[in-house]
Amino acid sequence: MAVPPQLRALLLAVNALLRKRRYHAALAMLKGFRNGAVYGVKIRAPHALVMTFLFRSGSLQEKLRAILQATYTHSWNLACFVFAYKGLCALQSHVQGETYQVHSFLAAFIGALLVFRDNNNINSQVIISLLVRQEIEPTSDRAEPAWDSDSLPLFFPSPICACAYALSLSK
């Protein structure tokens, strides 16, 4: 099947634009936003479906509305968090000219404060699941450890989750 020359020219122009290092941070933010939204839907929709039909009373319309609301909230929050995280990491790297471990910590902390500050069930579940995953990871049985015991990462994301969760409860 032959591709029209206009479409081929458009594809070549888009690919050339995507390969430019100059736009890497902006494209990473957009890709992160999209991936956060997709992941939020993939995770929350089945969970909300099962939990709503098991434990919620009301009409079918009310249950479907609750499922859609929970899915939307989870997806939007994850997308916004990834967008903020990627943007803050890129900003810090640009300002300091180099990437440091503390950039990830600060970006995640600020992003969590911005996005997960509302005290609702979905934010609480996200923060608790992140906290549990980060606390269990170093102790998991793996064929190869994620890092040497001599070179543990400077910052674990779990303090970020704990601080954001504590701040969300204080409102």
Side-chain angles (χ1 to χ4, degrees), residues 8-47:
R8 181 172 298 215
L10 178 64
L11 287 174
L12 288 173
V14 167
N15 284 331
L17 179 74
L18 293 176
R19 280 193 297 267
K20 290 186 178 180
R21 189 80 181 143
R22 177 180 184 179
Y23 303 114
H24 177 75
L27 292 172
M29 290 170 59
L30 291 175
K31 183 179 177 184
F33 184 86
R34 181 248 177 220
N35 289 346
V38 169
Y39 185 73
V41 170
K42 285 170 65 175
I43 294 301
R44 180 54 64 177
H47 179 267

mmCIF file of all heavy atoms in Angstrom, residues 8-47:
data_model
loop_
_atom_site.group_PDB
_atom_site.id
_atom_site.type_symbol
_atom_site.label_atom_id
_atom_site.label_comp_id
_atom_site.label_asym_id
_atom_site.label_seq_id
_atom_site.Cartn_x
_atom_site.Cartn_y
_atom_site.Cartn_z
ATOM 1 N N ARG A 8 3.763 11.192 3.909
ATOM 2 C CA ARG A 8 5.166 10.825 4.133
ATOM 3 C C ARG A 8 5.978 12.040 4.567
ATOM 4 O O ARG A 8 6.790 11.963 5.494
ATOM 5 C CB ARG A 8 5.760 10.215 2.870
ATOM 6 C CG ARG A 8 7.206 9.781 3.046
ATOM 7 C CD ARG A 8 7.660 9.042 1.864
ATOM 8 N NE ARG A 8 6.795 7.863 1.784
ATOM 9 C CZ ARG A 8 7.204 6.684 1.370
ATOM 10 N NH1 ARG A 8 8.433 6.521 0.984
ATOM 11 N NH2 ARG A 8 6.386 5.671 1.321
ATOM 12 N N ALA A 9 5.753 13.185 3.925
ATOM 13 C CA ALA A 9 6.467 14.418 4.288
ATOM 14 C C ALA A 9 6.096 14.840 5.706
ATOM 15 O O ALA A 9 6.966 15.263 6.486
ATOM 16 C CB ALA A 9 6.148 15.526 3.295
ATOM 17 N N LEU A 10 4.810 14.723 6.058
ATOM 18 C CA LEU A 10 4.374 15.064 7.412
ATOM 19 C C LEU A 10 5.024 14.155 8.441
ATOM 20 O O LEU A 10 5.499 14.620 9.476
ATOM 21 C CB LEU A 10 2.849 14.973 7.509
ATOM 22 C CG LEU A 10 2.246 15.253 8.878
ATOM 23 C CD1 LEU A 10 2.510 16.694 9.295
ATOM 24 C CD2 LEU A 10 0.765 14.951 8.890
ATOM 25 N N LEU A 11 5.065 12.859 8.172
ATOM 26 C CA LEU A 11 5.702 11.915 9.092
ATOM 27 C C LEU A 11 7.189 12.203 9.256
ATOM 28 O O LEU A 11 7.722 12.128 10.366
ATOM 29 C CB LEU A 11 5.487 10.475 8.614
ATOM 30 C CG LEU A 11 4.087 9.917 8.782
ATOM 31 C CD1 LEU A 11 3.975 8.547 8.140
ATOM 32 C CD2 LEU A 11 3.718 9.844 10.240
ATOM 33 N N LEU A 12 7.864 12.523 8.174
ATOM 34 C CA LEU A 12 9.290 12.858 8.254
ATOM 35 C C LEU A 12 9.508 14.128 9.081
ATOM 36 O O LEU A 12 10.436 14.200 9.888
ATOM 37 C CB LEU A 12 9.880 13.022 6.855
ATOM 38 C CG LEU A 12 10.050 11.732 6.059
ATOM 39 C CD1 LEU A 12 10.469 12.042 4.624
ATOM 40 C CD2 LEU A 12 11.059 10.817 6.726
ATOM 41 N N ALA A 13 8.649 15.135 8.901
ATOM 42 C CA ALA A 13 8.779 16.380 9.661
ATOM 43 C C ALA A 13 8.519 16.141 11.148
ATOM 44 O O ALA A 13 9.255 16.652 12.002
ATOM 45 C CB ALA A 13 7.809 17.422 9.110
ATOM 46 N N VAL A 14 7.489 15.347 11.465
ATOM 47 C CA VAL A 14 7.188 15.060 12.870
ATOM 48 C C VAL A 14 8.327 14.269 13.504
ATOM 49 O O VAL A 14 8.748 14.550 14.633
ATOM 50 C CB VAL A 14 5.840 14.307 12.992
ATOM 51 C CG1 VAL A 14 5.656 13.737 14.378
ATOM 52 C CG2 VAL A 14 4.697 15.233 12.631
ATOM 53 N N ASN A 15 8.852 13.272 12.809
ATOM 54 C CA ASN A 15 9.960 12.476 13.340
ATOM 55 C C ASN A 15 11.220 13.321 13.536
ATOM 56 O O ASN A 15 11.950 13.136 14.511
ATOM 57 C CB ASN A 15 10.250 11.278 12.444
ATOM 58 C CG ASN A 15 9.232 10.178 12.629
ATOM 59 O OD1 ASN A 15 8.663 10.029 13.701
ATOM 60 N ND2 ASN A 15 8.993 9.414 11.583
ATOM 61 N N ALA A 16 11.477 14.240 12.631
ATOM 62 C CA ALA A 16 12.628 15.132 12.791
ATOM 63 C C ALA A 16 12.450 16.018 14.020
ATOM 64 O O ALA A 16 13.397 16.245 14.783
ATOM 65 C CB ALA A 16 12.813 15.984 11.536
ATOM 66 N N LEU A 17 11.243 16.493 14.236
ATOM 67 C CA LEU A 17 10.951 17.316 15.412
ATOM 68 C C LEU A 17 11.129 16.516 16.700
ATOM 69 O O LEU A 17 11.705 17.004 17.680
ATOM 70 C CB LEU A 17 9.523 17.853 15.325
ATOM 71 C CG LEU A 17 9.052 18.702 16.483
ATOM 72 C CD1 LEU A 17 9.700 20.072 16.415
ATOM 73 C CD2 LEU A 17 7.549 18.821 16.478
ATOM 74 N N LEU A 18 10.661 15.282 16.693
ATOM 75 C CA LEU A 18 10.759 14.450 17.895
ATOM 76 C C LEU A 18 12.203 14.079 18.232
ATOM 77 O O LEU A 18 12.511 13.813 19.391
ATOM 78 C CB LEU A 18 9.922 13.183 17.722
ATOM 79 C CG LEU A 18 8.409 13.381 17.646
ATOM 80 C CD1 LEU A 18 7.715 12.066 17.378
ATOM 81 C CD2 LEU A 18 7.880 14.025 18.904
ATOM 82 N N ARG A 19 13.071 14.035 17.247
ATOM 83 C CA ARG A 19 14.470 13.671 17.501
ATOM 84 C C ARG A 19 15.302 14.826 18.049
ATOM 85 O O ARG A 19 16.413 14.609 18.539
ATOM 86 C CB ARG A 19 15.112 13.144 16.219
ATOM 87 C CG ARG A 19 14.781 11.707 15.925
ATOM 88 C CD ARG A 19 15.690 11.157 14.844
ATOM 89 N NE ARG A 19 15.503 11.854 13.589
ATOM 90 C CZ ARG A 19 14.674 11.474 12.620
ATOM 91 N NH1 ARG A 19 13.933 10.417 12.787
ATOM 92 N NH2 ARG A 19 14.578 12.159 11.508
ATOM 93 N N LYS A 20 14.791 16.029 17.987
ATOM 94 C CA LYS A 20 15.562 17.180 18.465
ATOM 95 C C LYS A 20 15.636 17.155 19.980
ATOM 96 O O LYS A 20 14.643 17.075 20.680
ATOM 97 C CB LYS A 20 14.938 18.490 17.989
ATOM 98 C CG LYS A 20 15.097 18.690 16.507
ATOM 99 C CD LYS A 20 14.612 20.048 16.097
ATOM 100 C CE LYS A 20 14.836 20.203 14.601
ATOM 101 N NZ LYS A 20 14.398 21.504 14.131
ATOM 102 N N ARG A 21 16.821 17.254 20.507
ATOM 103 C CA ARG A 21 17.067 17.223 21.945
ATOM 104 C C ARG A 21 16.438 18.426 22.652
ATOM 105 O O ARG A 21 16.112 18.361 23.824
ATOM 106 C CB ARG A 21 18.588 17.201 22.168
ATOM 107 C CG ARG A 21 18.996 16.958 23.558
ATOM 108 C CD ARG A 21 18.912 15.487 23.862
ATOM 109 N NE ARG A 21 19.295 15.280 25.247
ATOM 110 C CZ ARG A 21 18.722 14.393 26.015
ATOM 111 N NH1 ARG A 21 17.811 13.611 25.542
ATOM 112 N NH2 ARG A 21 19.096 14.265 27.248
ATOM 113 N N ARG A 22 16.274 19.476 21.905
ATOM 114 C CA ARG A 22 15.742 20.718 22.461
ATOM 115 C C ARG A 22 14.343 20.536 23.056
ATOM 116 O O ARG A 22 13.970 21.199 24.012
ATOM 117 C CB ARG A 22 15.712 21.737 21.335
ATOM 118 C CG ARG A 22 15.143 23.039 21.665
ATOM 119 C CD ARG A 22 15.195 23.923 20.443
ATOM 120 N NE ARG A 22 14.726 25.239 20.761
ATOM 121 C CZ ARG A 22 14.686 26.213 19.905
ATOM 122 N NH1 ARG A 22 15.093 26.026 18.673
ATOM 123 N NH2 ARG A 22 14.248 27.385 20.264
ATOM 124 N N TYR A 23 13.553 19.647 22.471
ATOM 125 C CA TYR A 23 12.171 19.452 22.903
ATOM 126 C C TYR A 23 11.989 18.220 23.788
ATOM 127 O O TYR A 23 10.856 17.832 24.082
ATOM 128 C CB TYR A 23 11.255 19.323 21.684
ATOM 129 C CG TYR A 23 11.345 20.506 20.759
ATOM 130 C CD1 TYR A 23 11.853 20.368 19.481
ATOM 131 C CD2 TYR A 23 10.942 21.771 21.172
ATOM 132 C CE1 TYR A 23 11.952 21.453 18.625
ATOM 133 C CE2 TYR A 23 11.040 22.860 20.330
ATOM 134 C CZ TYR A 23 11.543 22.688 19.055
ATOM 135 O OH TYR A 23 11.638 23.767 18.225
ATOM 136 N N HIS A 24 13.073 17.634 24.213
ATOM 137 C CA HIS A 24 12.996 16.381 24.970
ATOM 138 C C HIS A 24 12.188 16.531 26.269
ATOM 139 O O HIS A 24 11.329 15.705 26.567
ATOM 140 C CB HIS A 24 14.400 15.853 25.277
ATOM 141 C CG HIS A 24 14.395 14.620 26.107
ATOM 142 N ND1 HIS A 24 14.064 13.389 25.593
ATOM 143 C CD2 HIS A 24 14.645 14.428 27.425
ATOM 144 C CE1 HIS A 24 14.114 12.492 26.551
ATOM 145 N NE2 HIS A 24 14.471 13.091 27.677
ATOM 146 N N ALA A 25 12.439 17.571 27.037
ATOM 147 C CA ALA A 25 11.752 17.738 28.328
ATOM 148 C C ALA A 25 10.252 17.953 28.135
ATOM 149 O O ALA A 25 9.437 17.337 28.833
ATOM 150 C CB ALA A 25 12.361 18.908 29.100
ATOM 151 N N ALA A 26 9.886 18.795 27.177
ATOM 152 C CA ALA A 26 8.461 19.053 26.938
ATOM 153 C C ALA A 26 7.760 17.790 26.448
ATOM 154 O O ALA A 26 6.642 17.486 26.879
ATOM 155 C CB ALA A 26 8.293 20.179 25.925
ATOM 156 N N LEU A 27 8.413 17.060 25.566
ATOM 157 C CA LEU A 27 7.808 15.828 25.067
ATOM 158 C C LEU A 27 7.725 14.766 26.161
ATOM 159 O O LEU A 27 6.757 14.003 26.217
ATOM 160 C CB LEU A 27 8.595 15.301 23.866
ATOM 161 C CG LEU A 27 8.507 16.173 22.610
ATOM 162 C CD1 LEU A 27 9.468 15.672 21.544
ATOM 163 C CD2 LEU A 27 7.090 16.229 22.074
ATOM 164 N N ALA A 28 8.711 14.723 27.051
ATOM 165 C CA ALA A 28 8.667 13.778 28.173
ATOM 166 C C ALA A 28 7.508 14.117 29.107
ATOM 167 O O ALA A 28 6.843 13.219 29.632
ATOM 168 C CB ALA A 28 9.992 13.796 28.933
ATOM 169 N N MET A 29 7.252 15.401 29.313
ATOM 170 C CA MET A 29 6.125 15.815 30.157
ATOM 171 C C MET A 29 4.796 15.400 29.525
ATOM 172 O O MET A 29 3.914 14.880 30.218
ATOM 173 C CB MET A 29 6.164 17.326 30.380
ATOM 174 C CG MET A 29 7.295 17.781 31.272
ATOM 175 S SD MET A 29 7.511 19.569 31.293
ATOM 176 C CE MET A 29 5.920 20.127 31.863
ATOM 177 N N LEU A 30 4.661 15.621 28.229
ATOM 178 C CA LEU A 30 3.423 15.244 27.547
ATOM 179 C C LEU A 30 3.230 13.733 27.533
ATOM 180 O O LEU A 30 2.123 13.232 27.762
ATOM 181 C CB LEU A 30 3.423 15.786 26.117
ATOM 182 C CG LEU A 30 3.300 17.294 25.992
ATOM 183 C CD1 LEU A 30 3.440 17.727 24.540
ATOM 184 C CD2 LEU A 30 1.981 17.770 26.564
ATOM 185 N N LYS A 31 4.312 13.012 27.263
ATOM 186 C CA LYS A 31 4.231 11.553 27.264
ATOM 187 C C LYS A 31 3.901 11.046 28.668
ATOM 188 O O LYS A 31 3.107 10.119 28.830
ATOM 189 C CB LYS A 31 5.560 10.957 26.789
ATOM 190 C CG LYS A 31 5.545 9.459 26.691
ATOM 191 C CD LYS A 31 6.885 8.933 26.195
ATOM 192 C CE LYS A 31 6.893 7.429 26.166
ATOM 193 N NZ LYS A 31 8.204 6.912 25.773
ATOM 194 N N GLY A 32 4.493 11.636 29.682
ATOM 195 C CA GLY A 32 4.199 11.251 31.057
ATOM 196 C C GLY A 32 2.754 11.529 31.428
ATOM 197 O O GLY A 32 2.112 10.722 32.100
ATOM 198 N N PHE A 33 2.225 12.678 30.986
ATOM 199 C CA PHE A 33 0.821 12.994 31.243
ATOM 200 C C PHE A 33 -0.082 11.945 30.621
ATOM 201 O O PHE A 33 -0.988 11.424 31.265
ATOM 202 C CB PHE A 33 0.485 14.384 30.694
ATOM 203 C CG PHE A 33 -0.916 14.822 31.003
ATOM 204 C CD1 PHE A 33 -1.194 15.453 32.203
ATOM 205 C CD2 PHE A 33 -1.947 14.610 30.102
ATOM 206 C CE1 PHE A 33 -2.484 15.865 32.499
ATOM 207 C CE2 PHE A 33 -3.242 15.008 30.394
ATOM 208 C CZ PHE A 33 -3.507 15.636 31.598
ATOM 209 N N ARG A 34 0.189 11.619 29.375
ATOM 210 C CA ARG A 34 -0.616 10.617 28.678
ATOM 211 C C ARG A 34 -0.502 9.258 29.355
ATOM 212 O O ARG A 34 -1.493 8.579 29.592
ATOM 213 C CB ARG A 34 -0.171 10.529 27.224
ATOM 214 C CG ARG A 34 -0.946 9.538 26.407
ATOM 215 C CD ARG A 34 -0.009 8.392 26.043
ATOM 216 N NE ARG A 34 -0.731 7.374 25.322
ATOM 217 C CZ ARG A 34 -0.531 6.092 25.513
ATOM 218 N NH1 ARG A 34 0.335 5.685 26.400
ATOM 219 N NH2 ARG A 34 -1.179 5.203 24.834
ATOM 220 N N ASN A 35 0.717 8.843 29.690
ATOM 221 C CA ASN A 35 0.907 7.538 30.323
ATOM 222 C C ASN A 35 0.282 7.486 31.709
ATOM 223 O O ASN A 35 -0.265 6.456 32.108
ATOM 224 C CB ASN A 35 2.394 7.190 30.397
ATOM 225 C CG ASN A 35 2.970 6.877 29.041
ATOM 226 O OD1 ASN A 35 2.250 6.658 28.079
ATOM 227 N ND2 ASN A 35 4.286 6.872 28.942
ATOM 228 N N GLY A 36 0.340 8.572 32.459
ATOM 229 C CA GLY A 36 -0.296 8.622 33.762
ATOM 230 C C GLY A 36 -1.805 8.485 33.650
ATOM 231 O O GLY A 36 -2.442 7.781 34.438
ATOM 232 N N ALA A 37 -2.388 9.140 32.650
ATOM 233 C CA ALA A 37 -3.840 9.047 32.447
ATOM 234 C C ALA A 37 -4.241 7.627 32.063
ATOM 235 O O ALA A 37 -5.203 7.074 32.603
ATOM 236 C CB ALA A 37 -4.281 10.041 31.374
ATOM 237 N N VAL A 38 -3.501 7.027 31.151
ATOM 238 C CA VAL A 38 -3.820 5.662 30.712
ATOM 239 C C VAL A 38 -3.652 4.675 31.864
ATOM 240 O O VAL A 38 -4.517 3.822 32.099
ATOM 241 C CB VAL A 38 -2.939 5.262 29.504
ATOM 242 C CG1 VAL A 38 -3.051 3.786 29.205
ATOM 243 C CG2 VAL A 38 -3.326 6.081 28.285
ATOM 244 N N TYR A 39 -2.571 4.798 32.595
ATOM 245 C CA TYR A 39 -2.331 3.890 33.718
ATOM 246 C C TYR A 39 -3.402 4.061 34.792
ATOM 247 O O TYR A 39 -3.867 3.082 35.384
ATOM 248 C CB TYR A 39 -0.938 4.133 34.298
ATOM 249 C CG TYR A 39 -0.558 3.160 35.383
ATOM 250 C CD1 TYR A 39 -0.250 1.844 35.079
ATOM 251 C CD2 TYR A 39 -0.514 3.559 36.713
ATOM 252 C CE1 TYR A 39 0.089 0.948 36.065
ATOM 253 C CE2 TYR A 39 -0.171 2.673 37.713
ATOM 254 C CZ TYR A 39 0.137 1.367 37.383
ATOM 255 O OH TYR A 39 0.465 0.474 38.376
ATOM 256 N N GLY A 40 -3.812 5.300 35.042
ATOM 257 C CA GLY A 40 -4.858 5.555 36.024
ATOM 258 C C GLY A 40 -6.161 4.871 35.660
ATOM 259 O O GLY A 40 -6.843 4.299 36.510
ATOM 260 N N VAL A 41 -6.507 4.898 34.378
ATOM 261 C CA VAL A 41 -7.726 4.224 33.929
ATOM 262 C C VAL A 41 -7.565 2.707 34.038
ATOM 263 O O VAL A 41 -8.466 2.011 34.510
ATOM 264 C CB VAL A 41 -8.072 4.631 32.480
ATOM 265 C CG1 VAL A 41 -9.181 3.760 31.909
ATOM 266 C CG2 VAL A 41 -8.479 6.096 32.428
ATOM 267 N N LYS A 42 -6.417 2.204 33.618
ATOM 268 C CA LYS A 42 -6.197 0.754 33.650
ATOM 269 C C LYS A 42 -6.235 0.200 35.069
ATOM 270 O O LYS A 42 -6.683 -0.912 35.300
ATOM 271 C CB LYS A 42 -4.843 0.406 33.005
ATOM 272 C CG LYS A 42 -4.853 0.510 31.506
ATOM 273 C CD LYS A 42 -3.478 0.415 30.905
ATOM 274 C CE LYS A 42 -2.839 -0.912 31.105
ATOM 275 N NZ LYS A 42 -1.549 -1.031 30.401
ATOM 276 N N ILE A 43 -5.779 0.966 36.023
ATOM 277 C CA ILE A 43 -5.741 0.508 37.408
ATOM 278 C C ILE A 43 -7.085 0.731 38.099
ATOM 279 O O ILE A 43 -7.613 -0.147 38.774
ATOM 280 C CB ILE A 43 -4.620 1.250 38.181
ATOM 281 C CG1 ILE A 43 -3.263 0.860 37.631
ATOM 282 C CG2 ILE A 43 -4.694 0.976 39.667
ATOM 283 C CD1 ILE A 43 -2.951 -0.598 37.696
ATOM 284 N N ARG A 44 -7.652 1.924 37.969
ATOM 285 C CA ARG A 44 -8.823 2.281 38.760
ATOM 286 C C ARG A 44 -10.122 1.699 38.225
ATOM 287 O O ARG A 44 -10.993 1.305 39.007
ATOM 288 C CB ARG A 44 -8.938 3.804 38.853
ATOM 289 C CG ARG A 44 -10.109 4.296 39.638
ATOM 290 C CD ARG A 44 -10.218 3.739 41.032
ATOM 291 N NE ARG A 44 -9.104 4.126 41.861
ATOM 292 C CZ ARG A 44 -8.984 3.830 43.140
ATOM 293 N NH1 ARG A 44 -9.920 3.151 43.749
ATOM 294 N NH2 ARG A 44 -7.927 4.192 43.818
ATOM 295 N N ALA A 45 -10.311 1.635 36.913
ATOM 296 C CA ALA A 45 -11.603 1.194 36.374
ATOM 297 C C ALA A 45 -11.988 -0.214 36.838
ATOM 298 O O ALA A 45 -13.091 -0.398 37.359
ATOM 299 C CB ALA A 45 -11.608 1.307 34.853
ATOM 300 N N PRO A 46 -11.124 -1.223 36.720
ATOM 301 C CA PRO A 46 -11.523 -2.552 37.203
ATOM 302 C C PRO A 46 -11.738 -2.580 38.718
ATOM 303 O O PRO A 46 -12.675 -3.220 39.201
ATOM 304 C CB PRO A 46 -10.355 -3.464 36.812
ATOM 305 C CG PRO A 46 -9.556 -2.711 35.844
ATOM 306 C CD PRO A 46 -9.832 -1.266 36.049
ATOM 307 N N HIS A 47 -10.882 -1.873 39.452
ATOM 308 C CA HIS A 47 -11.016 -1.829 40.907
ATOM 309 C C HIS A 47 -12.337 -1.172 41.305
ATOM 310 O O HIS A 47 -13.078 -1.676 42.151
ATOM 311 C CB HIS A 47 -9.831 -1.068 41.502
ATOM 312 C CG HIS A 47 -9.881 -0.952 42.985
ATOM 313 N ND1 HIS A 47 -10.451 0.129 43.611
ATOM 314 C CD2 HIS A 47 -9.443 -1.773 43.972
ATOM 315 C CE1 HIS A 47 -10.367 -0.025 44.911
ATOM 316 N NE2 HIS A 47 -9.760 -1.173 45.158
#
